[in-house]
Amino acid sequence: MILLLFFIAALAALSIGLHWLIEQPGSITLDWGGYHIETSLVVGAAALIATIAAIIIAWAIIVYFFQAPARLKQGSRAKRRERGFQALSRGIVAAGAGHLAEAKRAAREAVKNLDKEPLTYLLRAQVAQLEGDRVGAETAFHEMTQLSETRLLGLRGLHIEAKRRKDEEAAHHFADQAHQLTPLPWAGHALLEHHGAQANWEEARIAIEANLKAKAIDLPTAQRLRAVVETALALEKQAEHPSEALHLARQAVKRAPDLTPAVALIGRLLAHHGDSAKALKLLEKAYAEQPHPDIAEAFLEVAPSESNAERLARVKKFVAAASHSPEAGILVARAALAARDFASARKALAPLVAEGKTPTAQVCLLMAELEDAENGPSGPVREWLARGSRAPRDPAWIADGVISRRWAPASPVTGKLDAFVWATPPEPVRGPTEDARADIPAAFLTRPERLLEAKAEEEGATA
């Protein structure tokens, strides 16, 4: 509407101007080369305007003909780019779907029409990966690192290829390069895994702070990882620098109160400093909140020189606040067996083997040991050994398929920090024997001590 009003106003102004020009008296006279031309002012102005328009049109025609080859070339280039991008689109979709033949055809067409386009390197790398051509994939990723637009993508591709061929140093090198350019989450996690695998705890602390600053991890995650690294440092320093180790373990517990290995370590270090009373109080409180074998083991180490009867009395008091826990019953039963208090051992294990309950392998072995110690080799001993061979496994520290009796700050497989969790291991696949009973070695049917020793050896080998 506004443009229409402007157009009407311009027409009105032009009409008024022409009317004014026509009414003005005067003429234009031109003498040139023997010619004498005389005309009115309006006709002269019109002739001038027509001459200027003709010159402009002629110049445009000349320029058009001179620029025609360039325009044709540009149009051809635009068509090639369009075909190239269409090929890129088809190729990336085909590579994602695993259609190798279509992806290769599209890659060839894309390279032909878009040789310097960054995405063509990505498509070439994907095709090489589909073919299993690791050298070709690494070559494409390396070429991507030469371009600023795809440098980070190329470094990540090289990192992944290095991990696939199990070249940890090369994988760390590429992750470190990417992290220096831009602190990305994948690079930060890769650095943490490398330092965890190498037990470079000070470097791991620096990497945690860098990841937090770059917002690659949130604050709760950073606090947890800080606690894990501080516990690892404390474990390293507990022998030569116990005071420093105690400070680190306390820091770890402040950051992650549920980090059981740090709590157990504090108890041991306090006892090492001669403050057994404080250690016992700390461990009793921790066990009441979270009954865990690591805390119980630390508790038993506080007074190793006591008699078996004294230890049994102390253990009963220790587990009083967590008597409902299966771990408490197992701990009391072990102490009672050592003190040859069979009644207390049987009472502690009774809730775990009651009707409707499914005792674990450890509970079954304790029952077998109890029956053997109290009544000698007998039918109940063999029965409990047989049940133990089929019973669910007891909880343990597990990380990336590795089962360990001891906690570790990082996975031994990947180096991932805080990978170990306390959980029940998956059950192994068992096959029945010819008589449909569990296949129990004959040596284990005579003395339960052999089964206990074998289980300890198996757990040690697994760790």
Side-chain angles (χ1 to χ4, degrees), residues 257-258 263 282-292 295 321-322 324:
D258 62 336
V263 177
L282 170 74
L283 294 172
E284 285 175 2
K285 181 181 178 182
Y287 195 82
E289 295 174 354
Q290 187 179 4
H292 196 283
I295 298 176
H324 62 283

Side-chain angles (χ1 to χ4, degrees), residues 139-180:
T139 301
F141 285 128
H142 179 72
E143 291 175 350
M144 291 168 71
T145 62
Q146 308 304 310
L147 303 174
S148 59
E149 303 96 324
T150 56
R151 183 169 293 121
L152 288 171
L153 182 57
L155 287 171
R156 186 171 193 188
L158 290 172
H159 169 77
I160 292 172
E161 291 300 323
K163 293 286 285 186
R164 283 177 175 169
R165 67 172 186 270
K166 301 187 183 303
D167 189 345
E168 298 299 331
E169 289 302 320
H172 170 64
H173 170 72
F174 296 129
D176 187 47
Q177 277 193 327
H179 189 72
Q180 290 178 11

Side-chain angles (χ1 to χ4, degrees), residues 64-85:
Y64 176 81
F65 279 108
F66 274 102
Q67 291 182 346
R71 278 198 300 272
L72 290 174
K73 186 176 181 181
Q74 186 177 3
S76 176
R77 187 184 298 115
K79 289 181 180 179
R80 288 183 60 189
R81 285 181 62 83
E82 184 179 356
R83 289 196 299 268
F85 280 116

